Amino acid sequence: MNSKDENTASIKDKTGAHGTTADSTKEPVVDYITNLTDSHRSAGPVGYKRDAYIKQYDAHLDSKYSQFKVFQSFAIMRLYHDWPKVVGPLLGKQTRIMAIAPPIIKVGALNSPCLQQLQMMKRQLLQKVNAYYGKELIKDVQLSMYRQSYIKDEGQVYYGTTGKTEQYERPLLNFEAIPINEAELAQIDKVVAMIPDPKMRELFRETQIKQYKKTKYLKDHGYHACAHCDTLVGPEDTLCMNCILKAKEKANHAYRQHIESIKSLLFEQPHLVYEAVCKQIPLCSMVDYQLAHRECVYFFRNRVIREASDDNYDIYMLLMLITHKQAQQLDKDFVQNAVKKMRSQYEQKIAKYNRH
């Protein structure tokens, strides 16, 4: 190898995929992207199938555009399109993806209650994103408020928007056109009179007047107080977003308590079928029973299959849940053969996954 080739090789070793000097303290971005495409699994929900019509062009695309890393970027950036499916319709409307730069994703919230909700469920959000990719591609989720300008020129359509104003944009109010009477001014002056600093008192007075005019303007246009708090909500709304999130969290907690009660019953009597469970828990629906039963099966299946537990309690609990038979009704040979079969199937799936 001549000196020119040696210099070229040394430059390639010191630089990254884009010709910049690699930082040893940072995660190698290229490795994340390459590993994602090497898994032979398209980014998307489990069970996602590639479009059969587009598949006929795969050979041509692979040969012509593989050098530009198009598919790696496409596999990662598809999360912009599928974001509401990953986090759910409610959070999908209240959040925006700011940037995707593995191993980091930046998410913006449109309001403070939503930001607090994201901070509490940051770990679950990270799990959902990595489950979408089918690989631990993202290591951290950075959360912030989504900054959106409310001042728009009339009649001008901006790039990426439509002629209609989006729901989180508000018109700029003309406070001079909103009247306020002497009695209301006197009430505001009475409140601000307790502030000793003249500059601070005048600034606070101006702020209070604007806030009063804004509230008056909104009430004149159909806004009203939330049913649970004093926050103003739209004409067609009943609750503010903060109360909606609290109500949803309370309902989810109550539902999980209901599911846990069904699971507790199944832990005591794992052979029970749906009709027998309904006699002891009348409010149990088929969907509730299936969810609780599935979670119990997964719990003991993880112990017996993945952790290779040979404890009779774990094995018999799993088979009683699956067969709906009591322990004394299960033949010993059947138990041994069933466990061997399930473990063999699991090992085959692991081997097939590792090959790909």
Side-chain angles (χ1 to χ4, degrees):
M1 181 183 291
N2 55 33
S3 59
K4 182 178 181 181
D5 294 336
E6 291 176 356
N7 293 335
T8 305
S10 62
I11 292 173
K12 289 183 177 179
D13 291 338
K14 294 179 181 179
T15 57
H18 303 287
T20 58
T21 302
D23 188 354
S24 60
T25 61
K26 294 183 179 179
E27 294 287 343
V29 177
V30 179
D31 290 347
Y32 279 99
I33 301 175
T34 304
N35 292 335
L36 177 64
T37 55
D38 289 346
S39 66
H40 299 287
R41 179 191 182 280
S42 300
V46 176
Y48 169 79
K49 297 180 180 179
R50 301 179 69 174
D51 193 301
Y53 181 77
I54 300 297
K55 192 174 181 180
Q56 59 182 313
Y57 302 106
D58 285 352
H60 173 72
L61 293 174
D62 290 340
S63 61
K64 297 294 183 182
Y65 298 103
S66 58
Q67 59 177 320
F68 301 112
K69 307 295 183 182
V70 174
F71 301 107
Q72 290 90 331
S73 299
F74 178 72
I76 292 175
M77 296 308 166
R78 278 185 54 197
L79 183 60
Y80 280 101
H81 176 72
D82 294 330
W83 180 247
K85 298 179 183 178
V86 174
V87 299
L90 182 60
L91 282 179
K93 293 180 180 179
Q94 300 296 326
T95 58
R96 297 287 187 275
I97 297 180
M98 309 298 294
I100 303 176
I104 297 174
I105 181 175
K106 298 181 180 180
V107 180
L110 299 183
N111 50 61
S112 298
C114 183
L115 181 61
Q116 294 175 0
Q117 182 76 5
L118 289 177
Q119 290 172 346
M120 290 187 293
M121 59 177 296
K122 185 175 180 179
R123 182 179 298 177
Q124 295 90 326
L125 187 63
L126 187 62
Q127 293 175 352
K128 289 182 178 180
V129 172
N130 286 324
Y132 170 82
Y133 285 125
K135 200 173 190 72
E136 194 174 353
L137 181 69
I138 304 300
K139 297 290 186 180
D140 186 29
V141 179
Q142 295 182 358
L143 305 174
S144 62
M145 286 295 295
Y146 181 76
R147 303 299 179 185
Q148 175 68 28
S149 174
Y150 294 148
I151 304 175
K152 302 293 182 182
D153 295 334
E154 295 184 2
Q156 182 175 356
V157 178
Y158 290 81
Y159 177 77
T161 63
T162 61
K164 297 182 180 179
T165 304
E166 296 187 18
Q167 60 180 359
Y168 53 86
E169 295 179 356
R170 306 172 191 171
L172 188 63
L173 297 182
N174 182 11
F175 289 99
E176 299 296 332
I178 302 175
I180 183 171
N181 55 43
E182 295 296 331
E184 295 165 343
L185 281 175
Q187 183 66 25
I188 295 174
D189 291 335
K190 182 179 179 181
V191 173
V192 302
M194 296 181 292
I195 301 177
D197 188 1
K199 293 183 179 180
M200 184 65 68
R201 182 169 59 248
E202 184 62 27
L203 182 61
F204 186 67
R205 181 178 184 275
E206 182 180 353
T207 303
Q208 288 294 308
I209 291 175
K210 286 186 176 181
Q211 182 62 35
Y212 187 88
K213 288 184 175 182
K214 177 184 175 182
T215 303
K216 187 175 181 180
Y217 174 86
L218 292 176
K219 288 183 177 180
D220 292 341
H221 287 75
Y223 281 73
H224 56 89
C226 171
H228 291 170
C229 64
D230 296 332
T231 304
L232 292 180
V233 296
E236 299 178 356
D237 299 327
T238 304
L239 301 175
C240 64
M241 182 54 60
N242 191 25
C243 292
I244 290 176
L245 293 175
K246 287 182 179 179
K248 184 179 179 181
E249 183 179 356
K250 184 178 180 181
N252 289 339
H253 177 73
Y255 183 70
R256 283 308 309 176
Q257 293 295 108
H258 175 59
I259 297 298
E260 291 298 326
S261 65
I262 302 174
K263 289 172 63 177
S264 299
L265 180 59
L266 290 177
F267 266 74
E268 296 174 0
Q269 305 176 62
H271 61 279
L272 293 181
V273 296
Y274 170 64
E275 290 77 10
V277 172
C278 286
K279 293 179 180 179
Q280 302 188 46
I281 305 179
L283 297 179
C284 176
S285 65
M286 176 58 76
V287 176
D288 300 340
Y289 170 77
Q290 290 175 341
L291 176 59
H293 183 266
R294 183 166 62 251
E295 290 184 2
C296 290
V297 171
Y298 286 169
F299 175 77
F300 287 104
R301 188 178 184 277
N302 182 68
R303 283 189 173 185
V304 175
I305 308 303
R306 296 187 63 182
E307 300 177 7
S309 172
D310 292 325
D311 192 334
N312 284 336
Y313 173 77
D314 296 335
I315 294 174
Y316 274 87
M317 284 292 291
L318 175 61
L319 293 178
M320 283 190 290
L321 286 165
I322 294 175
T323 62
H324 298 289
K325 292 182 179 180
Q326 298 185 21
Q328 57 270 24
Q329 296 175 321
L330 296 174
D331 184 69
K332 184 177 180 181
D333 293 334
F334 167 78
V335 173
Q336 294 178 350
N337 293 334
V339 172
K340 288 181 180 179
K341 183 177 180 180
M342 287 188 289
R343 287 177 177 175
S344 176
Q345 291 175 347
Y346 175 73
E347 291 174 358
Q348 291 176 3
K349 291 182 179 179
I350 292 297
K352 183 178 179 181
Y353 176 80
N354 292 333
R355 284 198 300 270
H356 291 290

